[in-house]
Amino acid sequence: MKNYSILILGLFLFSNSTFAQLKEVKYKDENQVLNGYKIQPTKKTESKPGILILPAWKGIDKVSKDIATDLAHLGYYAFIADIYGEGNYPKNNSEAGQKAGYYKTNYKDYQNRIALALKQLINAGANPDNIVVIGYCFGGTGALEAARGHLNVKGVVSFHGGLARDASRPTEPITAKVMVCHGADDPYESKEEIAAFQQEMRDTKADWQMIYYANAVHSFTNPESGNDNSKGAAYNAVAAKRAFEHLKLFLNEVLKK
């Protein structure tokens, strides 16, 4: 009987661990092949909440895969978007800056790639009316673009993302709830850009919040960023933990579980 119980427990743990596995998904933007990743929650609910994850400027990485797995264990469907597409993945920071810069300037193309990824999240099982978009660095900019582009999402979360927006763009009401998690010492966002972003949130009548983390610079959630704040980008374990807790609070408020 004891051995039988151990066997049953082992099978349960095995099935539970194998269920929450990342699976590659090929999809397209016209002729451009895109390679995203999906993962289902370890425990499903009738409300089927979904999280779309937008990676940093080098594309899908360990950080985005880890956060997708963490969210699946919390009960969310998750999908990691491929913004650049097959054959266009940057090999270094210089290429990443150029490619990310293109989508920041051509924001309609960015919004389109995000919308295509949202469809894949829905195809994976998420409720189309119960979704939040989160993003890191370049992906944080994308999360804000999802709100600005009026995509069908309940909320967006930007982690150390770019906040800038062309002032000539039309200002329209933002209905998605917005949360920005920002390093208090991030050198890549000027006071002017931060002030302009906050004014944009007021002008668009958005439900927004911006949280600052002490002693944190750019990329503070990424363990691969080193620990030297003087370089402008560095990991901060305390800030990263607090930001994840703030994310969980936001998701609990915005999404039905």
Side-chain angles (χ1 to χ4, degrees):
M1 177 64 75
K2 181 179 180 181
N3 290 337
Y4 179 76
S5 298
I6 292 173
L7 176 62
I8 294 297
L9 176 61
L11 289 172
F12 172 77
L13 293 174
F14 175 77
S15 63
N16 200 41
S17 63
T18 54
F19 184 67
Q21 294 290 324
L22 283 166
K23 296 180 180 179
E24 188 171 8
V25 177
K26 285 189 177 292
Y27 59 113
K28 284 188 173 183
D29 181 358
E30 297 183 348
N31 293 325
Q32 175 63 62
V33 175
L34 304 166
N35 299 294
Y37 285 87
K38 68 179 180 179
I39 188 168
Q40 294 194 343
T42 53
K43 184 179 180 180
K44 294 182 178 180
T45 61
E46 290 186 6
S47 54
K48 298 180 179 179
I51 314 293
L52 179 64
I53 301 165
L54 305 179
W57 67 343
K58 285 188 176 179
I60 296 174
D61 54 9
K62 185 178 183 302
V63 172
S64 55
K65 291 179 180 179
D66 286 347
I67 190 68
T69 302
D70 289 342
L71 290 169
H73 286 301
L74 291 175
Y76 299 99
Y77 289 82
F79 188 84
I80 310 172
D82 178 9
I83 300 302
Y84 300 135
E86 201 167 278
N88 297 308
Y89 304 126
K91 302 178 183 66
N92 50 51
N93 288 350
S94 177
E95 289 187 8
Q98 292 174 358
K99 293 181 183 299
Y102 168 83
Y103 285 98
K104 287 180 180 179
T105 301
N106 298 277
Y107 63 90
K108 291 284 188 182
D109 290 345
Y110 201 180
Q111 292 171 355
N112 179 59
R113 288 283 166 93
I114 296 168
L116 291 172
L118 276 173
K119 290 181 181 178
Q120 295 303 315
L121 174 61
I122 294 165
N123 289 344
N127 181 339
D129 297 317
N130 200 27
I131 290 174
V132 160
V133 177
I134 70 173
Y136 297 81
C137 299
F138 167 57
T141 302
L144 296 177
E145 286 301 338
R148 290 165 176 154
H150 307 292
L151 301 187
N152 183 32
V153 297
K154 294 296 185 182
V156 302
V157 182
S158 171
F159 296 95
H160 42 81
L163 307 175
R165 169 185 172 277
D166 187 338
S168 67
R169 289 172 60 176
T171 300
E172 300 175 347
I174 288 178
T175 56
K177 297 181 187 297
V178 178
M179 182 169 78
V180 172
C181 298
H182 189 70
D185 299 327
D186 190 331
Y188 297 112
E189 288 298 316
S190 68
K191 293 179 180 179
E192 291 76 16
E193 285 181 340
I194 292 172
F197 167 75
Q198 294 181 354
Q199 189 59 49
E200 175 195 358
M201 292 296 99
R202 296 183 182 96
D203 292 342
T204 57
K205 308 286 192 247
D207 179 348
W208 68 285
Q209 55 188 302
M210 187 168 182
I211 304 168
Y212 289 83
Y213 301 96
N215 306 311
V217 291
H218 192 67
S219 198
F220 65 84
T221 64
N222 187 350
E224 298 178 358
S225 297
N227 56 12
D228 186 353
N229 278 17
S230 69
K231 294 183 178 180
Y235 178 59
N236 184 310
V238 173
K241 181 179 179 180
R242 289 173 177 171
F244 188 66
E245 291 301 316
H246 284 133
L247 171 63
K248 289 193 291 184
L249 287 171
F250 183 83
L251 296 178
N252 286 335
E253 175 191 336
V254 172
L255 295 180
K256 295 178 182 178
K257 290 289 293 284

